Structures are given as structure tokens and as C-alpha cells.
Amino acid sequence: MQQPFINSKDDIQIDLNQVRIDIIHGIRECSDRGLTQTVKWLSELNYALKDHKINNIQSNYDDGILPDERETYLLAKSYFDCQEYDRSAHFLENCNSPKCVFLFRYSQYMSSEKKRLDNSTDIGPDNSESTQVLLDLLSFFKANHNNLDGYLLYLEGVILKKLDLRSQAVSVLQSAVAAVPTLWAAWVELAGLANEYEALDSLQLPKHWMMYFFAAHAFVELKLSEQALEAYIGLANAGFTKSTYVTAQMAIAHHDRRDVDSALALFGELYQNDPYRLDNWDVYSHLLYLKEKRMELAKLAQKAVSIDKYRVETCCVVGNYYSLRSEHQKAVVYFQRALSLDPQYLSAWILMGHEFIELQNSNAAIQCYRQAIDVNRNDYRAWNGLGQAYEILGLNGYCIYYYSRAAQLKPDDSRMLVSLGEAYEKMEKIPNALKCYYKAHSTGDIEGMALFKLAKLYEKSNMPNSAAAAYTAACQEPGNAGSKELPPAQRYLAQYYLRFALLDHAAHYAYKCLEHESTKEAGKNILKAISEKRLAASSSQCANLPEDLPDAIKNISTSSLSHDASKTPFPSPNTAPDNFSTPMYSKKSSKYKM
């Protein structure tokens, strides 16, 4: 993909007049072929640009259907719209117009998918009949390779993806979007095949305004939240401010970067402007779940059921509502209902896995997470869920593998790194555990546990100086003020400074110990020992610092004990991770459903 199109920091220059002309043409072409989701997407964009008047639009429209096939096409299209796919294909079998040929093959494909979905609960995973239909369609595409238009190339790409021929699917879909740039469904399928940013950057795609939407969508799919936000802000500034799609995608990007308040504000705006738009309500309900807004989530579930109780988003909203009420069995029922409507619905697989974890059914959770990985191998939540399930089973070797995969997909999320460090620690791989905890702190510790775990592991490994430095840094973090790990850390530091006869520092942390019930007695004993040392020690003896005191501790002055003291540096493990970096990070709520 050409670099100018993915550099979201640049201003996006789009000719809105040409955009509207392309959209109107695309709506007609896709509507004639039964591509309803693309028609819906294009129509929403068109509505967002309604205030921009079109110049020089051609009113003459040729649908390209032969005169003696027009009646047959209209009949077959009506059957297709009523989901009578076999009937539609029957009447189109001998037609030669491009739209008739596409609708014939698309009807065959939709018929096989509908039957597979209808039969999945009866005959299980056996899809031999559906697979044979896909293979027959693929044979047709191969035999007519030189006569395929962009729409047939799109259908070929979908079938190749279904058959897990990913590299071939990428090549065909690139040709499809080059031939028909406004075919949004082809862009979406292509984005789902991009495994990583480098793969996205290597695609050869047309220079068209749809590229901006594709790049932004792909960033969301790859959980590259910052790039996605920049891209959608650029699109909004280019004229798509009123687009509900752009607003929803920005909300999802904020959700992925754990900015829950911003995401909720955008979804609230969407709800006010389009209260019957069920798209992305699953994400909206998840945000309400995170903020524990039970009343708002109950109202959203009631509204969704009143609109369409058999939409996957509705089932997900109701499932999240029951999950918030800790009625996990009911939540599972609704996630299963969502999957019966759409077996490829990724969120339902992951959320149902979470519910089985809550129900202490690790084996069922593992099956859910594996199904989620089959749908999308790039979603870190499924890999992290597998790590949690195997951790419950005590299989730490498996935990390390799955947590590592999750950390690779989400390198800026400290939770996976902390979990990976815990797994290494259980297997007595102390250097690896230290690296994980150190990197978790460096990347922005979400839950505020990395420094405490790092310090405890240093303490356990008989490295008191490093432990003290880590505990000191943890105590100076404002976000750790109410942590249950804070009293033991303060007790350790009081004892540590007492050992080196740094009585003022020891007294500071000993007084802190008095504030907590669990460390009050230890604080009293340390203060008593400090008093005895002060009476016994001479001023000359107190002035000299011990030889083995680390530099980070020697440099601490008495003034550094104040609340707003600068952080004490502490040593990293011997070898830092290869891709180690320390980005700026602002802490959010630690409650986050993976």
C-alpha cells in the first residue's frame, strides 16, 4: 500500500464532488447485484454528504442487462431479496448479462452458506456439501479467469478465503478493488487478510479515495488505535464529520486504547442522532459493562430487543447485561444465540469464553477461544484467554506460549506481560520473569502491579538493593496510593533503610506503616529500633554511608521523602527486551474485561 495513503498525520485532500458521483454509481451497481451491506455503507456515506451538492452528474444510467433478459433478471432479483436463493439461481442459469452471471453465482454461494448455517446445529461441523459448492464455483472462476469483472473477482476472493487459500485470496481481492474501487465488501475482506502492519503496507492498491477508509479500517482491525484515530480524524476534517460510520469507528478506536470515557461520549452522540442503529452496540454495551453502568446497560438491552431481538448485536448486549449481574449461565445462552445467527461473530466467541472462565469450566472456555482464533488469528483477546484458561489448569508451559502470542499482538498492553512474567516465575525462569515485569512497567502499567511483582521477585532472588529501588519507585507512583501491595512495600523499605542506618528514611516509611492495620506492629517495632540506634550512635558514625549501598539509594536526600519527590531510578534486568521502548502513557481504570 502506497505510503501517502497510510500517513494519517498528513491532511487528507478529497474531491467531495467526485466522491458523491462514485457513491451514487456504486449504490446502483451493488444494489443491482444484491450486495446489501455495501449498499448500506455507501448510502450512509452519501447521507453524510447530503449538504454537498453534486455538479455535472450524468442522469443516463445503463444497467448493462440485455433486453431479452431484463424480465428474468427482475424476477430472479426479487427472489434473491426474499432469500430464495435456489429459486433465483434456477431462473438465471442461462443468462449471459454480467449482472445476471454475478447474481447467479452469488445466489449459489448464498444458498450454500444459508444451508450450512441452518444445518450446523443438526449435523454438526460436517460441511462437505457446502464445501463442494465452493469448489464448483472456484472451478468456474478458474475456467473463466480472463472474463471476470470486479464483482466476480470479489466473489472469487471470498471463496478462496473460505477455503483458507489466503495468499491467493489477497491477490484476487487486490484485483477486485482495482476494478471496482467502491466495492466496500472487497476492502473489508482484504483488511481481514492483513496479518500485520507490514503486510498491509505491501499491498498494491489503486490510488482512490476509498484507500483512506480502507487504511483506517485496517488500523482498527490490527488494533493500531493511535493510527486509526488519526486516520478517522483526517477523514472527518475532509468532509465526513456527519458520518455515523466514522464516528462509530473512532469510538471503537478509543475503546481499543482503553479511553472508555471518550468512547462512551461518541456512542452517546451516535445514540442521540440514530437511536435505531444497532451496528456496534456490542462494543457500546461492553463499555457500559466496564463502567458498571447497570441501569444504562439495562435500558440499552431493552431498546435493542425492541428493535430486533434476532440481531447478533442484540444478543451480545443482553449477554453483557447478564454478565454484569453475575448471571453467567444466562449470559452464555445469549452468546450462543448470537453464534447460531452468525458463527463467525468473533466477539461472541471471546465473551462466551470469559463466561465459562467465570463458571470455572476451563475446557469449554478453551474451545471458545480456539474458535475465536479460527475466526481471526490477530485478536489478542483470544490468545490471552487461552493463557488464562491454561493457567487455571496449572499448565504453565502452555500459558507461556499463549501469553507470548498475545503480547506480540498487543505489545503496548502490560497485562499480558505481567501474566507472562507470572508464568515464567512459576516455572522458576527468573531472568525471563524479571524482563517481563520490567517491560510491563516501562510500557505503562495498567493495573499497577508490575513494579510490586518486580520488587518481590528481586527480594525472592536475594537482590535487596534492586528490590528496594523497585519498591521505592512503586511507592512514589501516585496511582498506587490505595494499592493493597503498598503496606508490605513500605515495611520492606523501612527495614531496608534501618539495616543501612539511614534512620530518617527508615522512620519515614515506618510512620507510613502505622497508617495500615496489617503493618502497624511492624512499624512500631522499627520506630523503637530507630530510637535505640539514635541513642547509641554518634554523629560521625551516622554521617558515613555503608559501602554496599546502591547509588540509586545513596543519592536520595531527606527532601526526596516528600509526596512529590522525583522517582528513584532502579536497575533493569541484565538484558532488556529487543523491542523495548518507553512510550508516554496515561493510566486508566484497571477494570477491563479482556
Side-chain angles (χ1 to χ4, degrees), residues 55-72:
N55 301 320
N56 303 324
I57 186 170
Q58 297 178 355
S59 58
N60 297 328
Y61 175 64
D62 181 13
D63 58 15
I65 300 174
L66 297 174
D68 57 345
E69 294 181 353
R70 188 173 303 280
E71 289 75 16
T72 305

Side-chain angles (χ1 to χ4, degrees), residues 441-470:
H441 164 68
S442 302
T443 56
D445 188 13
I446 297 171
E447 296 177 333
M449 292 298 298
L451 279 176
F452 291 115
K453 288 186 175 294
L454 183 67
K456 286 180 181 179
L457 193 53
Y458 277 135
E459 183 182 355
K460 179 181 175 182
S461 303
N462 197 24
M463 301 169 68
N465 295 337
S466 297

Side-chain angles (χ1 to χ4, degrees), residues 554-571:
K554 287 179 182 179
N555 295 332
I556 298 177
S557 64
T558 306
S559 61
S560 71
L561 300 177
S562 62
H563 175 70
D564 55 350
S566 59
K567 293 183 181 179
T568 303
F570 63 95

Side-chain angles (χ1 to χ4, degrees), residues 326-453:
S326 297
E327 298 182 40
H328 302 295
Q329 198 61 56
K330 287 185 178 180
V332 167
V333 170
Y334 276 93
F335 293 135
Q336 287 175 335
R337 185 176 297 177
L339 290 167
S340 67
L341 295 168
D342 182 7
Q344 300 296 306
Y345 186 43
L346 177 66
S347 294
W349 283 118
I350 294 173
L351 293 173
M352 190 161 68
H354 296 335
E355 298 308 310
F356 280 126
I357 290 289
E358 295 290 341
L359 293 169
Q360 299 182 353
N361 189 344
S362 299
N363 291 327
I366 288 169
Q367 293 302 316
C368 291
Y369 294 133
R370 290 194 183 281
Q371 290 286 348
I373 289 171
D374 289 340
V375 174
N376 185 356
R377 298 184 64 82
N378 300 320
D379 198 302
Y380 73 95
R381 296 172 299 173
W383 295 101
N384 186 70
L386 280 173
Q388 291 176 336
Y390 280 109
E391 184 177 3
I392 293 172
L393 295 174
L395 300 173
N396 295 314
Y398 288 92
C399 291
I400 288 173
Y401 172 74
Y402 292 119
Y403 282 139
S404 297
R405 291 296 299 267
Q408 289 170 8
L409 291 167
K410 194 70 171 175
D412 61 338
D413 196 317
S414 65
R415 292 167 297 178
M416 272 73 72
L417 290 167
V418 170
S419 298
L420 183 59
E422 290 173 344
Y424 276 127
E425 189 175 349
K426 289 174 183 176
M427 296 190 71
E428 299 297 328
K429 296 184 177 181
I430 304 303
N432 291 353
L434 290 171
K435 293 175 192 175
C436 290
Y437 294 143
Y438 185 78
K439 186 178 179 183
H441 164 68
S442 302
T443 56
D445 188 13
I446 297 171
E447 296 177 333
M449 292 298 298
L451 279 176
F452 291 115
K453 288 186 175 294

Side-chain angles (χ1 to χ4, degrees), residues 497-498 501-511 527 530 534 557-558 561:
Y497 287 123
L498 179 62
L502 294 173
L503 303 183
D504 290 340
H505 294 76
H508 169 78
Y509 285 107
Y511 281 116
L527 287 172
I530 291 171
R534 278 176 172 163
S557 64
T558 306
L561 300 177

Side-chain angles (χ1 to χ4, degrees), residues 102 222 386 400 476:
F102 176 82
L222 293 172
L386 280 173
I400 288 173
Q476 292 175 351

